[in-house]
């Protein structure tokens, strides 16, 4: 019987139905319940009808072909058959008729009940699935075996070669991008960093980069320096440019790692050079305020504004606003400031201390405008910490002459064992040291500083403080004396009473206890070579009163526990 399978395949619009048919065709033979083929003379056509169980579903499928074996009509009870195209069961039916050379008339019905057919079908299908899983498992073993053999042949011979590209058209980017080539003797361009490197290595894929480079992508196939580059690429995969997939953008998030990776690079295209950018800290007095900004050989915001006003180009409106300092010239990270010299193609860097970094981060984005009192407070704090920033002599003298005397702190322990904390301060401006003292208490959180905090905020001038506070909790007193006093010493002139000085001095007091029975009473007698009897009695009375401390006549403190 003629049956043109190719003609039937042309009826399919959606390859999904056809792919399904081919995938599950192996299940058809055991799934056929009934099959009939009838030739209809009146219309010169052959009608083929089948009941089957495929993938666990019962279906009734029919196919009508003409005498030339071409497709005329089909139907099926499954949900995938429609007027636009046949379902996969139609193709399976045609394929089965061809494979078994069936002719009309033909009739077949399984000599068993449906439940038995379904049971056998699922049993065989389970075996097929398990066999497929086992085949995939074995294929993976073979793949790993090949990779292992290749690794012994190709160990550490694959190079990843970087190159730097700077796109002048992207005015918003002041830093270049990095792209890569791969190979041994001959190098091939990486066109998609994510798929050709990151995913390929993760899945140990076999990649064809060119005529002379067909490799299994596994980590140990690369040279030692290439592995350093791979670590950098994988860690910063989120910096791969989404439009140019062969580029990885260098920015503030990856520059420190880029530096650590390529500082000792064998490639002459990537050169790092340490340089002092000679950044000047410009201070300008405007009425009641001070404006502070940065200026160096790469950047002067004041000159830039003048240039922009004189531009007559029709595009000049693009430059009327001032881009952030970092976008124009620098990348600021946690550890360094970087500048890319486009002319010489060199990465310049400057190591600065943490205080300069914090100030630079602030000034890199905007000018700092401070009121008079705040200006002196801020720069009296920064002046001895700025190693790389030049401040003009005019303002340096002003800052040095700024009266930033330390507050005075007096400490004592009273007869109740409470710590007396007195602070004195008199000055025209809010004191930097005073702000630091408040910060210490806020972090340590003893509840004694509220009165002092009420005097101070970011903009309020303080002329005089004369506050006395008490710490009565034993745990806080110990912490204050042992931990906080050494910390406060940097920010205040501290005066300690003899009681406080002796507080940390540990000494043993020698005493003896005499015990005797008198008139049926137990009599205890305390004596000491260090203390007289009157002082021993006072100590015992203080203990009975649940006092925490006792001050000896010599001024020393005894902890009652």
């Amino acid at each position: 019987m003629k049956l043109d399978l190719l003609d039937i395949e042309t009826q399919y619009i959606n390859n999904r139905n056809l792919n399904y048919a081919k995938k599950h065709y192996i299940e058809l033979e055991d799934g056929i319940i009934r099959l009939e083929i009838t030739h209809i003379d009146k219309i010169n056509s052959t009608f083929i009808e089948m009941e089957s169980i495929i993938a666990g579903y019962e279906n009734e499928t029919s196919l009508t072909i003409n005498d030339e074996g071409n497709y005329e009509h089909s139907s099926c009870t499954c949900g995938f058959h429609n007027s636009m195209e046949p379902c996969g069961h139609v193709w399976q039916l045609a394929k089965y008729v061809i494979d078994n050379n069936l002719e009309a008339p033909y009739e077949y019905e399984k000599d068993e009940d449906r439940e038995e057919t379904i049971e056998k079908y699922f049993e065989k299908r389970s075996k097929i699935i398990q066999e497929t899983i086992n085949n995939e498992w074995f294929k993976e073993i073979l793949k790993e075996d090949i990779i292992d053999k290749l690794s012994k042949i190709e160990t550490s011979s694959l190079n990843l070669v970087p190159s730097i590209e700077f796109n002048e058209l992207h005015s918003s980017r002041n830093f270049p991008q990095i792209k890569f080539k791969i190979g041994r003797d001959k190098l091939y361009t990486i066109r998609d960093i994510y798929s050709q490197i990151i995913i390929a290595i993760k899945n140990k894929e076999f990649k064809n980069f060119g005529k002379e480079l067909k490799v299994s992508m596994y980590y140990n196939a690369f040279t030692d320096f290439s592995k350093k580059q791979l670590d950098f690429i994988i860690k910063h995969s989120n910096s791969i440019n989404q439009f140019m997939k062969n580029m990885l953008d260098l920015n503030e998030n990856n520059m420190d790692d880029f530096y650590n990776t390529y500082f000792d690079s064998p490639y002459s295209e990537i050169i790092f050079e340490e340089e002092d950018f000679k950044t000047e800290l410009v201070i300008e007095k405007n009425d009641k305020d001070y404006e502070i900004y940065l200026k160096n050989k790469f950047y002067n915001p004041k000159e830039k504004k003048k240039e922009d006003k004189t531009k007559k180009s029709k595009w000049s409106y693009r430059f009327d606003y001032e881009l952030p300092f970092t976008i124009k010239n620098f990348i600021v990270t946690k550890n360094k400031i970087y500048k890319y010299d486009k002319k010489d193609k060199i990465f310049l860097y400057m190591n600065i201390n943490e205080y300069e970094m914090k100030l630079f981060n602030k000034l890199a984005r905007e000018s700092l405008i401070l009121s008079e009192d705040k200006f002196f407070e801020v720069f009296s704090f920064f002046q001895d910490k700025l190693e790389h920033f030049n401040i003009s002599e005019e303002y340096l003298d002003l800052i040095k002459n700024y009266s930033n005397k330390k507050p005075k702190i007096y400490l004592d322990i009273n007869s109740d064992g409470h710590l007396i904390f007195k602070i004195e301060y008199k000055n025209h401006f809010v004191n930097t040291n005073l702000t630091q003292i408040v910060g210490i208490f806020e972090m340590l959180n003893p509840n004694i500083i509220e009165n002092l905090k009420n005097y101070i905020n970011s903009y309020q001038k303080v002329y005089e403080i004369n506050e006395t506070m008490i710490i009565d909790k034993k745990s806080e007193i110990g912490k204050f004396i042992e931990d906080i006093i050494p910390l406060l010493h940097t920010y205040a002139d501290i005066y300690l009473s003899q009681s406080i000085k002796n507080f940390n001095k540990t000494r043993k007091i020698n005493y003896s206890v005499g015990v005797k029975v008198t008139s049926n009473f137990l009599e205890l007698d305390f004596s000491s070579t260090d203390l007289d009897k009157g002082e021993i009695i006072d100590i015992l009375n203080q203990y009975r009163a649940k006092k925490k401390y006792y001050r000896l006549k010599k001024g020393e403190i005894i902890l009652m526990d």
Side-chain angles (χ1 to χ4, degrees), residues 350-449:
M350 179 169 69
N351 288 304
I352 63 176
N353 62 49
E354 61 178 308
Y355 295 101
E356 290 175 318
M357 184 64 77
K358 287 170 183 174
L359 184 60
F360 190 97
N361 265 313
K362 176 68 177 172
L363 296 175
R365 289 165 174 78
E366 59 186 352
S367 294
L368 184 60
I369 298 175
L370 300 171
S371 59
E372 186 181 22
D373 59 329
K374 211 56 188 160
F375 166 76
F376 285 113
E377 183 184 2
V378 168
F379 281 94
S380 65
F381 173 78
F382 273 111
Q383 65 169 327
D384 59 343
K385 299 174 174 65
L386 302 180
E387 299 171 10
H388 297 85
F389 297 165
N390 299 320
I391 303 176
S392 62
E393 290 295 326
E394 174 192 359
Y395 291 104
L396 201 56
D397 290 339
L398 275 177
I399 295 165
K400 285 178 181 177
N401 293 328
Y402 162 62
S403 178
N404 190 26
K405 293 178 182 177
K406 291 182 179 180
K408 294 179 180 179
I409 294 176
Y410 298 90
L411 295 167
D412 191 16
I413 290 180
N414 65 13
S415 58
D416 292 325
H418 298 156
L419 189 142
I420 308 300
F421 175 95
K422 184 175 182 179
I423 184 165
E424 287 183 0
Y425 167 72
K426 188 173 183 179
N427 196 17
H428 179 60
F429 296 115
V430 174
N431 189 285
T432 305
N433 293 303
L434 201 61
T435 307
Q436 299 287 80
I437 291 168
V438 173
I440 289 170
F441 282 104
E442 283 180 326
M443 284 186 284
L444 295 170
N445 204 28
N447 193 22
I448 62 169
I449 203 73

Side-chain angles (χ1 to χ4, degrees), residues 259-307:
Y259 171 87
N260 293 332
T261 301
Y262 290 99
F263 181 73
D264 56 353
S265 165
Y267 303 110
S268 59
E269 190 176 354
I270 302 178
I271 299 172
F272 282 93
E273 190 173 294
E274 188 168 9
E275 182 175 310
D276 185 348
F277 296 146
K278 296 178 181 176
T279 303
E280 183 179 352
L281 204 62
V282 181
I283 301 170
E284 292 184 355
K285 181 79 163 66
N286 303 314
D287 297 329
K288 296 180 181 179
D289 296 325
Y290 287 83
E291 182 181 3
I292 302 97
Y293 60 89
L294 296 174
K295 182 179 79 173
N296 62 28
K297 68 178 182 180
F298 300 115
Y299 176 71
N300 185 340
K302 300 294 179 182
E303 289 178 10
K304 181 65 182 171
K305 284 179 181 178
K306 290 177 184 177
E307 287 174 13

Side-chain angles (χ1 to χ4, degrees), residues 5-40:
L5 192 62
L6 205 58
D7 182 61
I8 290 172
E9 288 181 356
T10 60
Q11 309 302 317
Y12 288 89
I13 301 169
N14 189 341
N15 284 334
R16 184 181 60 183
N17 285 343
L18 197 54
N19 291 338
Y20 170 88
K22 293 176 180 179
K23 181 180 178 181
H24 291 278
Y25 178 67
I26 193 172
E27 303 172 28
L28 181 62
E29 186 170 0
D30 292 300
I32 295 175
I33 298 170
R34 181 180 63 84
L35 178 62
E36 289 184 21
I37 304 175
T38 308
H39 186 267
I40 306 170

